[in-house]
């Protein structure tokens, strides 16, 4: 890439020396916080390289040794300080954004600026659109979402007879989730375009892969490396081919509306972005939509896939779940209000998510100004702070028999009236699937609605089971802090006997 005598080589070399000195000084200031893994510099690098293949083991080790006390694990070019316990988590939650930044933490780990654009990273107004439009309109949007789910399942499995057929679980669920989500994002007919759906799914995979490659280099090199390891320009250009004509047409409709003509305006996320007027070009609006595609489909599908696998592994729970679905739908129809009353479905999903989250760490924060915990321990500027979600979710202090799958674990507190805040979208220091505090996932309400509706439809229409030699729990694959279900996993499915 560079000649041995080029100025770029000296720049990179000087930068690597500088970042080595910076990390050494950081490690000195972090001495009061215990390290999991080797404490010497060379050993820390070896530990960091090992952590690339998955951090759940080292995080669990740290939690077992230092529960309720901050500990740190090495990253290739930085340190991650992990905290647990209600007191410490509250301190992180209460810290101002200009000191502990959730946005900068996410941007760094997912390389938002380089994969989806600097404006998307620096001006995340789409979160406001989620909170003020999407979350408030879920009941109104529910009929079209339920319609899309019903149609998609029917098309995918319409040829199923009474024979058991193997289904590649994650692939099938991604298709259903993608169509349901895109019905909200872009509406008909694009939400049913195989090319658009395939592009969206591949975009998310490619984006995570690009972010992982950039992690192999220090942050000062990201602007240089991004051009070689990402395909942002071509991907955004391809997305504009899909969305550009729709955006132009909708802008024309908006012009007619402003001139006093009676027009029927679409009601989806794309239209809400256009209506804000904050971004007006096809490219800008398209990049903003790609964030939604990236953030929603894969995590939602992975979470739901674990629940479907658990259902196939424990078919004895089909009947009580069917009874609930049939009863609620008979009384309320397929409505948002109906899914809100499906407490067993909700508990089944929440328990599946508790046992198999999307990451070993959550509540990711980047330290913008030195942060001091109440016990006097200091985390210097530039480091990261997070919470060990998986370790907490498997702690017997919080959950009876924490490693056992108990699908109605969260129904029992509802039934005896002790705790009505047991839904899968709830937030608590001992349940961190969606984060905690004001920076918790704003899209969790829509994700839960989609998951509950899909699972309810599957339960009411199909039987499921595993192959005789299948493992009792869904296999997982890890990369860094991220955890996903094995994409090759199959389940057996057939139509429900009428």
């Amino acid at each position: 890439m560079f000649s041995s005598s080029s100025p770029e080589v000296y720049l990179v070399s000087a930068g690597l020396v500088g970042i080595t000195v910076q990390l050494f000084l950081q490690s000195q200031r972090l001495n009061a916080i215990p390290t999991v893994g080797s404490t010497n510099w060379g050993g820390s690098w070896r530990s960091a390289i090992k952590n690339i293949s998955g951090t759940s083991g080292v995080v669990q080790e740290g939690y077992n040794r230092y529960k309720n006390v901050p500990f740190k694990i090495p990253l290739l070019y930085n340190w991650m300080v992990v905290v647990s316990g209600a007191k410490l988590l509250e301190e992180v939650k209460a810290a101002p954004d200009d000191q502990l930044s959730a946005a900068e933490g996410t941007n760094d780990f997912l390389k938002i600026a380089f994969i989806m654009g600097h404006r998307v990273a620096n001006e995340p107004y789409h979160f406001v659109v989620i909170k003020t439009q999407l979350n408030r309109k879920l009941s109104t949007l529910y009929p079209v979402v339920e319609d899309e789910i019903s149609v998609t399942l029917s098309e995918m499995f319409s040829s199923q007879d009474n024979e058991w057929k193997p289904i590649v679980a994650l692939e099938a669920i991604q298709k259903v989730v993608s169509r349901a989500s895109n019905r909200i994002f872009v509406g008909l007919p694009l939400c049913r375009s195989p090319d658009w759906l395939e592009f969206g799914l591949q975009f998310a995979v490619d984006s995570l892969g690009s972010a992982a490659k950039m992690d192999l280099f220090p942050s000062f090199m990201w602007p240089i490396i991004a051009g070689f390891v990402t395909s942002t320009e071509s991907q955004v250009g391809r997305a504009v081919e899909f969305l550009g004509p729709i955006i132009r047409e909708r802008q024309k409709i908006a012009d007619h509306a402003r001139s006093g003509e009676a027009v029927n305006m679409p009601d989806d996320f794309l239209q809400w972005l256009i209506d804000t007027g904050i971004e007006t070009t096809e490219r800008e609006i398209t990049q903003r939509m790609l964030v939604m595609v990236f953030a929603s489909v894969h995590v939602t599908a992975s979470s739901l896939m674990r629940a479907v696998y658990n259902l196939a592994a424990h078919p004895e729970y089909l009947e009580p779940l069917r009874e609930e679905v049939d009863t609620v739908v008979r009384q309320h129809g397929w409505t948002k209000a109906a899914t809100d009353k499906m407490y067993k479905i909700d508990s089944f999903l929440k328990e599946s998510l508790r046992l198999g989250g999307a990451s070993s760490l959550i509540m990711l924060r980047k330290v913008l100004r030195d942060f001091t915990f109440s016990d006097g321990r200091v985390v210097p500027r530039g480091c990261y702070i997070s919470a060990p979600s998986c370790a907490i979710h498997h702690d017997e202090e919080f959950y009876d028999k924490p490693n056992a799958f108990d699908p109605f674990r969260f129904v029992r507190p509802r039934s005896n009236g002790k705790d009505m805040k047991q839904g899968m979208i709830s937030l608590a220091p001992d349940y961190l699937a969606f984060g905690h505090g004001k920076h918790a996932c704003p899209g969790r309400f829509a994700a839960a609605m989609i998951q509950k509706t899909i699972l309810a439809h599957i339960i009411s229409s199909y039987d499921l089971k595993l192959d005789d030699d299948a493992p009792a729990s869904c296999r997982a694959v890890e990369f860094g802090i991220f955890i996903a279900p094995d994409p090759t996993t199959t389940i057996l499915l057939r139509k429900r006997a009428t």
Side-chain angles (χ1 to χ4, degrees), residues 93-102 104 365-366 368 438-439:
K93 188 179 79 167
D97 292 344
D98 63 357
Q99 186 173 29
L100 299 186
S101 174
E104 289 301 315
R365 304 288 190 268
K366 185 174 184 178
L368 303 185
K438 65 180 180 180
H439 294 298

Side-chain angles (χ1 to χ4, degrees), residues 52-90:
I52 292 174
S53 62
T55 60
S56 63
V58 70
V59 171
Q60 186 66 56
E61 177 188 347
Y63 186 79
N64 293 343
R65 293 168 60 186
Y66 304 111
K67 180 180 173 181
N68 298 331
V69 175
F71 64 89
K72 65 182 185 288
I73 61 174
L75 307 177
L76 277 179
Y77 303 100
N78 211 327
W79 291 96
M80 175 70 75
V81 176
V82 183
V83 301
S84 62
K87 187 175 187 298
L88 292 179
L89 291 178
E90 183 60 34

Side-chain angles (χ1 to χ4, degrees), residues 40-59:
N40 65 70
W41 190 245
S44 292
W45 265 75
R46 287 192 293 273
S47 297
I49 293 171
K50 181 180 179 181
N51 290 341
I52 292 174
S53 62
T55 60
S56 63
V58 70
V59 171

Side-chain angles (χ1 to χ4, degrees), residues 96-114:
D97 292 344
D98 63 357
Q99 186 173 29
L100 299 186
S101 174
E104 289 301 315
T106 301
N107 288 343
D108 278 8
F109 265 71
L110 297 179
K111 313 299 182 291
I112 301 295
F114 304 99

Side-chain angles (χ1 to χ4, degrees), residues 273-290:
L273 290 180
I274 294 171
D275 290 344
T276 68
I278 296 174
E279 293 173 316
T280 57
T281 70
E282 295 170 23
R283 181 181 176 83
E284 288 174 329
I285 296 171
T286 296
Q287 285 181 294
R288 196 67 59 165
M289 286 301 306
L290 287 178

Side-chain angles (χ1 to χ4, degrees), residues 25-332:
L25 294 175
Q26 278 185 339
S27 67
Q28 295 299 104
R29 296 188 66 192
L30 284 165
N31 278 343
I33 298 176
T35 304
V36 181
S38 178
T39 56
N40 65 70
W41 190 245
S44 292
W45 265 75
R46 287 192 293 273
S47 297
I49 293 171
K50 181 180 179 181
N51 290 341
I52 292 174
S53 62
T55 60
S56 63
V58 70
V59 171
Q60 186 66 56
E61 177 188 347
Y63 186 79
N64 293 343
R65 293 168 60 186
Y66 304 111
K67 180 180 173 181
N68 298 331
V69 175
F71 64 89
K72 65 182 185 288
I73 61 174
L75 307 177
L76 277 179
Y77 303 100
N78 211 327
W79 291 96
M80 175 70 75
V81 176
V82 183
V83 301
S84 62
K87 187 175 187 298
L88 292 179
L89 291 178
E90 183 60 34
E91 292 178 22
V92 172
K93 188 179 79 167
D97 292 344
D98 63 357
Q99 186 173 29
L100 299 186
S101 174
E104 289 301 315
T106 301
N107 288 343
D108 278 8
F109 265 71
L110 297 179
K111 313 299 182 291
I112 301 295
F114 304 99
I115 294 172
M116 298 170 206
H118 288 274
R119 187 169 183 180
V120 172
N122 297 325
E123 302 175 35
Y125 75 89
H126 50 278
F127 289 138
V128 176
V129 178
I130 292 172
K131 294 175 181 178
T132 61
Q133 295 279 4
L134 176 59
N135 290 344
R136 294 179 181 179
K137 292 186 175 183
L138 289 179
S139 294
T140 303
L141 292 167
Y142 186 85
V144 298
V145 173
E146 190 276 328
D147 173 70
E148 198 61 37
I149 290 168
S150 179
V151 169
T152 306
L153 288 172
S154 178
E155 289 177 359
M156 289 175 59
F157 305 129
S158 60
S159 62
Q160 299 293 331
D161 52 27
N162 291 329
E163 297 296 321
W164 291 103
K165 300 292 179 65
I167 301 296
V168 180
L170 186 59
E171 178 184 325
I173 291 168
Q174 281 178 337
K175 289 179 180 178
V176 187
V177 170
S178 183
R179 278 185 52 167
S181 300
N182 274 281
R183 185 73 180 262
I184 293 175
F185 295 158
V186 297
L188 290 168
L190 188 59
C191 71
R192 295 181 180 177
S193 164
D195 291 339
W196 167 251
L197 297 174
E198 178 60 30
F199 168 80
L201 292 171
Q202 192 59 48
F203 172 77
V205 172
D206 292 345
S207 297
L208 287 173
S210 296
K213 292 173 185 175
M214 291 178 67
D215 268 335
L216 299 176
F217 300 87
S219 58
F220 81 91
M221 291 186 66
W222 292 349
I224 303 170
I225 297 301
F228 296 93
V229 303
T230 70
S231 52
T232 300
E233 289 302 316
S234 62
Q235 288 177 321
V236 173
R238 176 63 173 146
V240 169
E241 293 178 11
F242 289 107
L243 293 177
I246 300 173
I247 293 170
R248 291 194 296 272
E249 179 62 27
R250 293 194 182 191
Q251 288 173 332
K252 288 180 183 178
I253 294 174
D255 290 339
H256 292 314
R258 282 190 288 270
S259 67
E261 293 184 33
V263 295
N264 186 20
M265 299 296 294
D267 194 22
D268 54 35
F269 207 92
L270 176 59
Q271 187 61 47
W272 304 333
L273 290 180
I274 294 171
D275 290 344
T276 68
I278 296 174
E279 293 173 316
T280 57
T281 70
E282 295 170 23
R283 181 181 176 83
E284 288 174 329
I285 296 171
T286 296
Q287 285 181 294
R288 196 67 59 165
M289 286 301 306
L290 287 178
V291 176
M292 300 303 300
V293 171
F294 170 81
S296 61
V297 174
H298 271 273
V299 174
T300 302
S302 295
S303 174
L304 179 58
M305 186 265 187
R306 292 184 177 94
V308 171
Y309 190 93
N310 286 334
L311 188 61
H314 303 278
E316 66 270 20
Y317 295 116
L318 264 173
E319 283 309 312
L321 289 168
R322 276 178 179 162
E323 181 180 354
E324 177 180 73
V325 172
D326 291 345
T327 300
V328 171
V329 171
R330 190 162 52 246
Q331 293 174 351
H332 303 279

